[in-house]
Amino acid sequence: VQLQASGGGVVQPGDSLRLSCAASGRTLRTYTLGWFRQVPGKEREFVASIRWNGETRYGDSVKDRFTISRDNAKNTMYLQMSSLKLEDTAVYYCAADNDPRLQRPRFRGQGTQVTVSS
């Protein structure tokens, strides 16, 4: 399975941005999909996940601002980010696994840079 994240960019505080993660090589319909982010020098941070049944989970720092979704027909996952803050700046990675907690994702894509700057 290959995961390809896209949609990153440079935005201002308060702006919105949508990330996409397209999967190829295998259908991920039954997998839990998720997003993580990382800033150099800091540990990876869980952002959001969505199970095969649509159940979602969010990190405390993004709750009520980010929305994760999936389109199984397109084998693609999305992260709609709103009310972006300076501290949301990071490289965002998508991941997939059978483990609903995504503790050690079996599949992980390359990152896409999100920079929030005034």
Side-chain angles (χ1 to χ4, degrees), residues 77-109:
M77 167 179 62
Y78 305 97
L79 184 69
Q80 179 66 47
M81 305 184 293
S82 303
S83 303
L84 283 162
K85 304 176 180 180
L86 296 175
E87 52 265 40
D88 292 318
T89 295
V91 177
Y92 285 70
Y93 299 91
C94 53
D97 200 276
N98 287 319
D99 174 14
R101 304 294 295 183
L102 289 177
Q103 291 188 329
R104 291 182 181 179
R106 181 177 175 188
F107 305 111
R108 176 176 139 163

Coordinates of all heavy atoms in Angstrom, one line a residue, residues 77-109:
M77 N -8.7 9.7 1.9 CA -9.1 10.3 3.2 C -8.8 11.8 3.2 O -7.9 12.2 2.4 CB -8.2 9.6 4.3 CG -8.3 10.3 5.6 SD -7.3 9.5 6.9 CE -5.7 9.6 6.2
Y78 N -9.5 12.5 3.9 CA -9.4 14.0 3.9 C -9.3 14.5 5.4 O -9.7 13.9 6.3 CB -10.6 14.6 3.3 CG -10.9 14.1 1.9 CD1 -11.8 13.2 1.7 CD2 -10.2 14.6 0.8 CE1 -12.1 12.7 0.4 CE2 -10.4 14.2 -0.5 CZ -11.4 13.2 -0.7 OH -11.6 12.7 -1.9
L79 N -8.6 15.7 5.5 CA -8.6 16.4 6.7 C -8.9 17.8 6.4 O -8.1 18.5 5.8 CB -7.2 16.2 7.4 CG -7.1 16.9 8.8 CD1 -8.0 16.1 9.8 CD2 -5.7 17.0 9.3
Q80 N -10.1 18.2 6.8 CA -10.5 19.6 6.7 C -10.1 20.4 7.9 O -10.5 20.1 9.0 CB -12.0 19.7 6.5 CG -12.5 21.1 6.4 CD -12.1 21.8 5.1 OE1 -12.1 21.2 4.0 NE2 -11.6 23.0 5.2
M81 N -9.2 21.3 7.7 CA -8.7 22.1 8.8 C -9.2 23.5 8.8 O -9.1 24.2 7.7 CB -7.1 22.1 8.8 CG -6.5 20.7 8.7 SD -4.7 20.7 8.8 CE -4.4 21.5 7.2
S82 N -9.8 24.0 9.9 CA -10.3 25.3 9.9 C -9.8 26.0 11.1 O -9.2 25.4 12.0 CB -11.9 25.2 10.1 OG -12.4 24.5 9.0
S83 N -9.9 27.4 11.1 CA -9.4 28.2 12.2 C -8.0 27.8 12.6 O -7.6 27.6 13.7 CB -10.3 28.0 13.4 OG -11.6 28.4 13.2
L84 N -7.2 27.8 11.5 CA -5.8 27.3 11.7 C -5.0 28.3 12.6 O -5.2 29.5 12.6 CB -5.1 27.2 10.4 CG -5.5 25.9 9.7 CD1 -5.1 26.0 8.2 CD2 -4.8 24.7 10.3
K85 N -4.1 27.8 13.4 CA -3.3 28.5 14.4 C -1.9 28.4 14.0 O -1.5 27.4 13.3 CB -3.6 28.0 15.8 CG -5.0 28.1 16.2 CD -5.2 27.5 17.6 CE -6.6 27.5 18.1 NZ -6.8 27.0 19.4
L86 N -1.1 29.3 14.5 CA 0.4 29.2 14.3 C 0.9 27.8 14.7 O 1.8 27.2 14.1 CB 1.1 30.3 15.0 CG 0.8 31.7 14.6 CD1 1.5 32.7 15.5 CD2 1.2 32.0 13.2
E87 N 0.4 27.3 15.8 CA 0.9 26.1 16.4 C 0.5 24.8 15.6 O 0.8 23.7 15.9 CB 0.5 25.9 17.8 CG -1.0 26.1 18.1 CD -1.3 27.5 18.6 OE1 -0.7 28.5 18.0 OE2 -2.2 27.6 19.5
D88 N -0.4 25.0 14.6 CA -0.7 23.9 13.7 C 0.4 23.7 12.6 O 0.3 22.7 11.9 CB -2.0 24.2 13.0 CG -3.2 24.2 13.9 OD1 -3.3 23.3 14.8 OD2 -4.1 25.0 13.8
T89 N 1.3 24.5 12.6 CA 2.4 24.4 11.6 C 3.2 23.1 11.9 O 3.6 22.8 13.0 CB 3.4 25.5 11.7 OG1 2.7 26.7 11.3 CG2 4.6 25.3 10.8
A90 N 3.3 22.2 10.9 CA 3.9 20.9 11.1 C 3.9 20.2 9.7 O 3.3 20.6 8.8 CB 3.2 20.1 12.1
V91 N 4.6 19.1 9.7 CA 4.5 18.1 8.6 C 3.4 17.2 9.0 O 3.4 16.5 10.0 CB 5.8 17.4 8.3 CG1 5.6 16.4 7.2 CG2 6.9 18.4 7.9
Y92 N 2.4 17.0 8.1 CA 1.3 16.1 8.4 C 1.4 14.8 7.6 O 1.7 14.9 6.4 CB 0.0 16.8 8.0 CG -0.4 17.9 8.9 CD1 0.3 19.1 9.1 CD2 -1.5 17.7 9.8 CE1 -0.1 20.1 10.0 CE2 -1.9 18.7 10.7 CZ -1.2 19.8 10.8 OH -1.6 20.8 11.7
Y93 N 1.3 13.7 8.3 CA 1.4 12.4 7.7 C 0.1 11.7 7.8 O -0.6 11.8 8.8 CB 2.4 11.6 8.5 CG 3.8 12.2 8.5 CD1 4.2 13.0 9.5 CD2 4.8 11.8 7.5 CE1 5.5 13.5 9.5 CE2 6.0 12.3 7.5 CZ 6.4 13.2 8.5 OH 7.7 13.7 8.6
C94 N -0.2 10.9 6.8 CA -1.4 10.0 6.8 C -0.9 8.6 7.1 O 0.2 8.2 6.8 CB -2.2 10.1 5.6 SG -1.4 9.8 4.0
A95 N -1.8 7.8 7.7 CA -1.4 6.5 8.1 C -2.6 5.6 8.0 O -3.8 6.0 8.1 CB -0.8 6.5 9.5
A96 N -2.3 4.3 8.0 CA -3.4 3.3 7.9 C -3.0 2.0 8.6 O -1.9 1.6 8.6 CB -3.8 3.0 6.5
D97 N -4.0 1.4 9.3 CA -3.7 0.1 10.0 C -5.0 -0.5 10.4 O -6.1 0.2 10.4 CB -2.9 0.4 11.2 CG -2.2 -0.9 11.7 OD1 -2.8 -1.7 12.4 OD2 -1.0 -1.1 11.4
N98 N -5.0 -1.8 10.7 CA -6.1 -2.5 11.3 C -6.4 -2.1 12.7 O -7.5 -2.2 13.2 CB -6.0 -4.0 11.2 CG -6.1 -4.5 9.8 OD1 -6.9 -4.0 9.0 ND2 -5.2 -5.4 9.4
D99 N -5.3 -1.6 13.4 CA -5.5 -1.2 14.8 C -6.2 0.1 14.9 O -5.8 1.1 14.4 CB -4.1 -1.0 15.4 CG -4.1 -0.5 16.8 OD1 -5.2 -0.5 17.4 OD2 -3.0 0.0 17.3
P100 N -7.4 0.1 15.5 CA -8.2 1.4 15.6 C -7.5 2.5 16.3 O -7.8 3.6 16.2 CB -9.5 0.9 16.3 CG -9.1 -0.3 17.0 CD -8.1 -1.0 16.2
R101 N -6.5 2.1 17.2 CA -5.8 3.2 17.9 C -4.6 3.7 17.1 O -4.0 4.7 17.5 CB -5.3 2.6 19.2 CG -6.3 2.0 20.1 CD -7.3 3.0 20.6 NE -6.7 4.0 21.5 CZ -7.4 5.0 22.1 NH1 -8.7 5.1 21.9 NH2 -6.8 5.8 22.8
L102 N -4.2 3.1 16.0 CA -3.1 3.5 15.2 C -1.8 3.7 16.0 O -1.1 4.7 15.8 CB -3.4 4.8 14.4 CG -4.5 4.7 13.3 CD1 -4.7 6.1 12.7 CD2 -4.0 3.7 12.2
Q103 N -1.6 2.8 16.9 CA -0.4 3.0 17.8 C 0.9 2.8 17.0 O 1.8 3.5 17.2 CB -0.5 2.0 18.9 CG -1.6 2.3 19.9 CD -1.6 1.5 21.1 OE1 -1.2 0.3 21.1 NE2 -2.1 2.0 22.3
R104 N 0.9 1.9 16.1 CA 2.1 1.6 15.2 C 1.5 1.4 13.9 O 1.5 0.2 13.4 CB 2.9 0.5 15.8 CG 3.6 0.8 17.0 CD 4.5 -0.4 17.5 NE 5.2 -0.1 18.7 CZ 6.0 -1.0 19.4 NH1 6.2 -2.1 18.8 NH2 6.5 -0.7 20.5
P105 N 1.2 2.4 13.1 CA 0.6 2.2 11.8 C 1.4 1.4 10.9 O 2.6 1.6 10.7 CB 0.4 3.6 11.3 CG 0.4 4.5 12.5 CD 1.3 3.8 13.4
R106 N 0.8 0.4 10.3 CA 1.5 -0.5 9.3 C 1.9 0.3 8.1 O 2.9 0.1 7.5 CB 0.6 -1.6 9.0 CG 1.2 -2.6 8.0 CD 0.2 -3.8 7.8 NE 0.7 -4.7 6.8 CZ 0.0 -5.7 6.3 NH1 -1.2 -5.9 6.7 NH2 0.6 -6.5 5.4
F107 N 1.0 1.2 7.6 CA 1.3 2.0 6.4 C 1.3 3.5 6.8 O 0.5 4.0 7.6 CB 0.2 1.7 5.4 CG 0.0 0.3 5.1 CD1 -1.2 -0.4 5.5 CD2 0.9 -0.4 4.4 CE1 -1.4 -1.7 5.2 CE2 0.8 -1.8 4.1 CZ -0.4 -2.4 4.5
R108 N 2.3 4.1 6.2 CA 2.4 5.6 6.4 C 2.9 6.2 5.2 O 3.8 5.7 4.5 CB 3.4 5.8 7.6 CG 3.7 7.2 7.8 CD 4.6 7.4 9.0 NE 5.6 8.4 8.8 CZ 6.3 9.0 9.8 NH1 6.2 8.6 11.0 NH2 7.2 9.9 9.5
G109 N 2.3 7.4 4.9 CA 2.7 8.1 3.7 C 3.7 9.1 4.0 O 4.1 9.4 5.1

